[in-house]
Amino acid sequence: MSQPKELASYLEGKWVNGKGREVALVNPSTEETLATSKTDGLDFKGALAYAREGGAALRAMSFAARGELVRAMSKAIHGARDELIGLAVQNGGSTRSDAKFDIDGAWGTLAAYGDIGAELGDRTFLLDGDATQLGRSARLFGQHVYVPREGVAVHINAFNFPAWGLGEKAAVAILAGMPIVAKPATSTALVTHRIVELIANAGILPAGVLSLVCGSSGDMLDHVTGQDVVAFTGSSTTGALLRRGEGVVANSVRMNVEADSLNAAVLGPDVAEGSDVLNLFLADVVRDMTQKTGQKCTAIRRVYVPRDKAEMVLEHLRERLSGVRVGNPSLEDVTMGPLSTAQQLKDVRAGIGKLEANAKVVFGSATEVSPLLGAGEPGKGFFLSPVLLFNDSPASGDVAHLHEVFGPVATVMSYDGSAKSAAALVRAGHGGLVSSVYSDDKEFLKAFVLGIAPFHGRVTIGSSKIAAQAVPPGLVLPGLIHGGPGRAGGGEELGGKRGLAFYMQRVALQGDRALLEGICGK
Ligand code: NAP
């Protein structure tokens, strides 16, 4: 076995190692230690100050020039795609297909923001709407503009998307004109570390624009200022803790939180057995339960079906799930890898136990995986089979509406076939990233979609005419917003140009129209 690599952080333009407690990054299929990280003693205050200096070079550039930087980052990732997939299989327990989902999402999102940069052209800041006449004379006008903030964007990411998490946040911040300090989750940081190494080695970005913390971020958030922003993705518990951080509160630091979500899939009462719409619904549920071993913030956790179709749906789901091959994802015929960490496996098993308070397991087991393909030593690895539960008479206070089990687990629940009942159950999740509905019934869809819209960042509608080209609900697109109210963290990312606003200050300018036009570059 080779010596584990010590993962350095990239701060103040240098690769640096900390001292103190070592954290191990393991292969979740074999539990072999792949790398270690230490960050005690690193100067996070100095690192933030250095990064802020890097912002000046970005702000002097046009959107088109910043877009070129973002595009070059995309190319650097794309160029190392196979190497990065290999790292994700080892360190994330991802199948090749899961790894592609993350890595292609990273370079794809960066490329999409490169295009937005080209579209915004030679401006360095943005106008927000048209100028407004403020008085009776045609001289006095107001104009809103967005200018880049002069701080640093601290990006803290979850373990499940080490490539996309970096790429989707970096693309928007750098295009808006802000430098970033990225902090991936420690357990799966190998992929992020390699991406930052590739970008740094290629000399793509001006000094200070990209920094990386591999390991704990220590006291970093105590040193954020009013021009900085924090974008966090992870559990709602950590999100709530960071919001209360001293530096964040004292300096009114702008913060975006992307957290848990009990995403729902709802089958409409009109959907018949054998239809394309039923097939789409079943494919989405099974994909979301198994892709990335269910460790996707957008994965379907709650499945609602009209009561008279419940047995039929359970039968189909059981049949499809029995085709899932769990094991070491370095083997080609494995379709679902292990959970990413020992803690994840423990939490998911405990979560299934909680769900059983109101639902019964109808497929899989919280404790056994059989057969298990290509695992290392017996008893090693964080494997679990997909687990499906069923509840014929759900109530809004049931565990499935309150607790996110972040693994290959979903609960099917019956409803009476009315849009009102379905919406009431979905709303019981207290705010989500995305929910999907499958139907061709216009009246049902209108009542249901508008009934759940205030509780979501995105709603996808699967119907006959688009069944063959539908984009899965779990796929976050750069052009549409990602985020959601309540439990989902109350945040919003991406959405094309909309995403830039988080990294920019909107300011209202008022005065003589001709002078305003001079400032705004008209
Ligand atoms: P987590 O335990 O909350 O950790 C998230 C990130 O926060 C990690 O980088 C972690 O670093 C860091 N962190 C933890 N405590 C911190 C502190 N005191 N100060 C600064 N940083 C701190 O979440 P996770 O287990 O990685 O991810 C799973 C959760 O993320 C799930 O609940 C999932 O729903 C959610 N998620 C949401 C989205 C979304 O877009 N809404 C996307 C993906 C995942 P360390 O690893 O070093 O502890």
Side-chain angles (χ1 to χ4, degrees):
M1 196 191 297
S2 56
Q3 185 66 16
K5 176 177 178 161
E6 190 172 340
L7 279 197
S9 293
Y10 188 63
L11 302 176
E12 302 188 47
K14 295 184 291 285
W15 291 100
V16 287
N17 286 305
K19 303 188 291 259
R21 197 175 61 93
E22 202 167 67
V23 182
L25 287 74
V26 302
N27 179 332
S29 301
T30 61
E31 300 185 35
E32 173 198 355
T33 298
L34 301 169
T36 59
S37 89
K38 285 188 282 202
T39 58
D40 286 0
L42 294 181
D43 176 12
F44 291 116
K45 187 176 180 194
L48 290 182
Y50 180 85
R52 283 184 202 107
E53 296 289 315
L58 281 183
R59 293 192 298 275
M61 289 180 182
S62 65
F63 281 101
R66 288 179 219 150
E68 284 309 313
L69 298 182
V70 164
R71 195 185 302 284
M73 291 169 73
S74 166
K75 286 187 179 154
I77 297 173
H78 188 262
R81 187 169 178 264
D82 276 341
E83 181 194 348
L84 293 169
I85 290 172
L87 286 176
V89 171
Q90 270 185 48
N91 184 208
S94 304
T95 61
R96 278 186 69 80
S97 152
D98 291 345
K100 285 181 201 162
F101 187 63
D102 180 32
I103 289 152
D104 293 348
W107 66 257
T109 305
L110 285 156
Y113 273 87
D115 290 347
I116 294 175
E119 192 192 313
L120 293 172
D122 60 7
R123 299 200 63 90
T124 56
F125 64 95
L126 294 174
L127 302 184
D128 177 31
D130 294 330
T132 319
Q133 187 171 326
L134 297 178
R136 264 181 298 166
S137 112
R139 246 182 203 291
L140 189 59
F141 263 69
Q143 170 74 57
H144 289 90
V145 297
Y146 278 111
V147 294
R149 290 189 150 218
E150 295 201 0
V152 56
V154 177
H155 289 167
I156 300 177
N157 276 313
F159 72 84
N160 53 346
F161 284 101
W164 176 79
L166 173 82
E168 60 104 18
K169 286 186 170 60
V172 190
I174 293 174
L175 186 63
M178 282 192 88
I180 65 172
V181 173
K183 191 220 145 347
T186 308
S187 56
T188 57
L190 266 189
V191 170
T192 322
H193 180 272
R194 182 64 187 135
I195 291 176
V196 171
E197 208 171 52
L198 289 163
I199 293 168
N201 289 350
I204 292 169
L205 298 169
V209 170
L210 176 61
S211 305
L212 173 74
V213 178
C214 273
S216 162
S217 55
D219 66 353
M220 185 164 71
L221 290 185
D222 293 347
H223 305 295
V224 287
T225 69
Q227 285 289 304
D228 299 335
V229 301
V230 177
F232 167 79
T233 296
S235 64
S236 48
T237 316
T238 311
L241 180 84
L242 300 189
R243 274 189 213 278
R244 294 194 298 269
E246 220 174 279
V248 170
V249 173
N251 299 308
S252 309
V253 174
R254 189 179 281 180
M255 187 159 179
N256 192 71
V257 174
E258 298 288 346
D260 315 352
S261 183
L262 296 164
N263 314 294
V266 176
L267 188 70
D270 57 308
V271 181
E273 180 147 27
S275 66
D276 290 347
V277 180
L278 179 69
N279 188 43
L280 178 66
F281 160 82
L282 295 169
D284 283 351
V285 172
V286 172
R287 183 191 309 100
D288 271 11
M289 286 181 70
T290 55
Q291 188 173 46
K292 294 196 71 72
T293 320
Q295 299 166 114
K296 239 170 37 185
C297 55
T298 49
I300 295 164
R301 309 283 173 205
R302 301 180 288 152
V303 182
Y304 298 100
V305 293
R307 189 160 283 111
D308 60 353
K309 297 185 196 298
E311 264 317 311
M312 178 268 289
V313 165
L314 287 177
E315 209 39 59
H316 281 293
L317 288 175
R318 275 193 287 246
E319 192 187 321
R320 290 186 185 217
L321 289 171
S322 58
V324 175
R325 293 183 299 278
V326 181
N328 187 326
S330 61
L331 297 182
E332 228 168 77
D333 41 350
V334 163
T335 55
M336 192 176 97
L339 290 152
S340 290
T341 62
Q343 186 61 44
Q344 262 291 104
L345 177 61
K346 197 170 159 213
D347 290 351
V348 170
R349 283 184 169 151
I352 295 167
K354 286 184 185 164
L355 291 172
E356 283 182 294
N358 321 102
K360 63 173 191 296
V361 173
V362 292
F363 182 89
S365 152
T367 49
E368 279 173 42
V369 189
S370 162
L372 181 59
L373 306 176
E377 277 176 59
K380 291 275 182 193
F382 314 133
F383 297 99
L384 187 74
S385 52
V387 174
L388 190 69
L389 297 102
F390 177 57
N391 176 357
D392 191 40
S393 50
S396 57
D398 289 352
V399 180
H401 298 121
L402 305 173
H403 182 68
E404 182 200 46
V405 181
F406 204 60
V409 182
T411 306
V412 176
M413 289 171 270
S414 307
Y415 76 100
D416 64 11
S418 74
K420 197 171 167 202
S421 307
L425 288 166
V426 174
R427 290 160 66 114
H430 299 287
L433 297 170
V434 57
S435 281
S436 45
V437 54
Y438 304 79
S439 171
D440 282 306
D441 179 333
K442 285 187 183 156
E443 269 182 39
F444 173 84
L445 283 173
K446 184 168 183 188
F448 175 75
V449 171
L450 295 179
I452 65 161
F455 292 79
H456 286 81
R458 188 159 55 91
V459 177
T460 79
I461 302 157
S463 60
S464 324
K465 291 208 172 121
I466 52 97
Q469 48 177 309
V471 174
L475 180 64
V476 174
L477 298 165
L480 299 182
I481 59 166
H482 173 61
R487 179 192 304 282
E492 188 178 295
E493 293 183 319
L494 300 172
K497 284 178 230 167
R498 291 172 189 86
L500 299 171
F502 177 68
Y503 298 99
M504 305 182 90
Q505 181 61 38
R506 176 157 53 185
V507 49
L509 306 177
Q510 64 188 75
D512 181 328
R513 183 178 199 172
L515 295 178
L516 282 186
E517 284 179 356
I519 293 166
C520 295
K522 277 193 191 164

